[in-house]
Amino acid sequence: MNYRHAFHAGNHADVLKHIILLALVDALKRKDTPFFVLDTHAGRGRYLLGGVESRKTSEAEDGVFKLAGEPRLPELAERYLRAVEANNPVGALVAYPGSPLLVAQALREQDRLAACELQPEEAQALKELFAHDSRVAVHARDGYAAMKALLPPRSGETRIARGLVLIDPPYEAQDAEYPQIISALRESLERWPAATYAVWYPIKQRRSLLPFFRKAAALPAKSSFVAELQVRPDDSPLRLNGSGMLVVNPPWQLEQAIAPVLPVLQKVLGEPGASTRLEWLRAAG
């Protein structure tokens, strides 16, 4: 794979993904019992916004930097910015935390994270980042294979009943990626049906995603919804016009917490023609 997230760290897609990710982790923390998080495509964990890759694209300028400049935001957005700022000097934004680091910062002593990364250099950086954190296990392996191997999770002989799986692949071959995601979700739901599954997906032309949504709606889950942010009109197959999160088995009232954030992200990060979507694919009941 040639994909490197350093070129895109802190962009509009990261903002949406990480706001929802932190909301999911915070929902798990409402109960005292331990939970397990599996990050299937974890990356290196931290990215320098002044690095060569980030400067080449400047995508963070239209993402986290814009949001950080807003004086008042909904609570979920404020919570996200506090998590980002925790990795930076006071009053500066020089590093961006990836998904595994954001999750690890939110974990309690009894909770666990397994972070998978296939690219050797990225996996090594991830291992170094969490070398002294006993709550985090880094696996230099394919994330889909890890779903088969690590779910349902256990702590010794005890099965961990609650948790979250984040599936955030690079989508280098999109036509092949979506069937693989659906297959992995179906198998994992059979083994760990009570867990929440969150899938990030890119939007270039939304109509191309319709088969994915139909198959996601048919999964053996209690409920599922999608939350999307498109920062420009849906008319270019060559650009990342937006992104979305498919949430399977969402926590109670999560969609109500997300709802007030989406129009703010549209206003702050969007160009003319930007839009949002929050829609159930499969409703509980």
Side-chain angles (χ1 to χ4, degrees):
M1 292 188 297
N2 297 315
Y3 179 87
R4 290 291 186 275
H5 192 67
F7 289 101
H8 313 290
N11 68 358
H12 59 83
D14 266 359
V15 172
L16 175 71
K17 173 174 58 186
H18 291 150
I19 285 176
I20 295 176
L21 174 63
L22 288 171
L24 288 165
V25 173
D26 288 348
L28 288 167
K29 292 168 66 176
R30 292 182 191 134
K31 294 183 179 180
D32 293 333
T33 52
F35 62 83
F36 173 83
V37 179
L38 173 60
D39 189 336
T40 63
H41 298 75
R44 65 189 298 114
R46 179 186 282 135
Y47 305 91
L48 292 178
L49 294 176
V52 174
E53 297 93 339
S54 184
R55 292 202 312 271
K56 187 173 182 179
T57 60
S58 300
E59 289 187 17
E61 296 291 337
D62 292 323
V64 64
F65 280 103
K66 272 190 176 181
L67 198 68
E70 289 295 305
R72 298 181 64 181
L73 292 165
E75 172 54 29
L76 288 189
E78 292 285 1
R79 190 264 186 270
Y80 157 75
L81 287 177
R82 290 194 299 269
V84 173
E85 290 164 1
N87 293 274
N88 288 277
V90 175
L93 188 54
V94 296
Y96 189 83
S99 299
L101 185 52
L102 289 171
V103 171
Q105 288 175 174
L107 293 181
R108 304 163 301 184
E109 186 59 36
Q110 67 267 36
D111 306 321
R112 295 293 181 267
L113 164 66
C116 301
E117 176 53 48
L118 193 58
Q119 296 182 30
E121 291 181 10
E122 304 291 276
Q124 183 58 39
L126 198 61
K127 289 180 179 180
E128 293 172 4
L129 181 63
F130 293 120
H132 304 292
D133 193 337
S134 61
R135 304 166 306 165
V136 181
V138 175
H139 300 264
R141 67 186 304 179
D142 175 74
Y144 296 118
M147 291 174 71
K148 295 181 179 180
L150 302 179
L151 303 181
R154 294 184 179 273
S155 178
E157 296 300 318
T158 305
R159 179 171 170 173
I160 301 176
R162 304 189 309 121
L164 166 68
V165 177
L166 173 65
I167 304 174
D168 178 23
Y171 292 94
E172 289 191 307
Q174 290 194 37
D175 291 343
E177 200 77 55
Y178 290 110
Q180 193 166 14
I181 290 171
I182 293 296
S183 177
L185 286 172
R186 185 177 292 108
E187 292 181 11
S188 298
L189 282 162
E190 292 177 358
R191 290 195 302 273
W192 201 25
T196 297
Y197 298 82
V199 181
W200 178 85
Y201 56 89
I203 302 174
K204 294 183 177 180
Q205 290 185 319
R206 279 199 73 257
R207 65 178 179 272
S208 67
L209 292 166
L210 295 180
F212 172 62
F213 295 144
R214 285 195 297 269
K215 292 174 182 177
L219 288 168
K222 294 178 181 178
S223 59
S224 60
F225 70 78
V226 292
E228 296 180 350
L229 168 67
Q230 290 191 217
V231 296
R232 59 182 65 91
D234 180 17
D235 59 1
S236 171
L238 302 178
R239 302 179 69 186
L240 183 66
N241 298 316
S243 68
M245 286 282 272
L246 163 68
V247 183
V248 179
N249 290 339
W252 185 61
Q253 292 189 334
L254 177 69
E255 82 288 354
Q256 295 182 29
I258 294 172
V261 180
L262 293 180
V264 174
L265 296 182
Q266 176 184 335
K267 179 180 178 182
V268 176
L269 307 183
E271 302 173 6
S275 63
T276 65
R277 176 183 178 227
L278 183 60
E279 184 176 322
W280 288 97
L281 299 182
R282 184 187 184 109

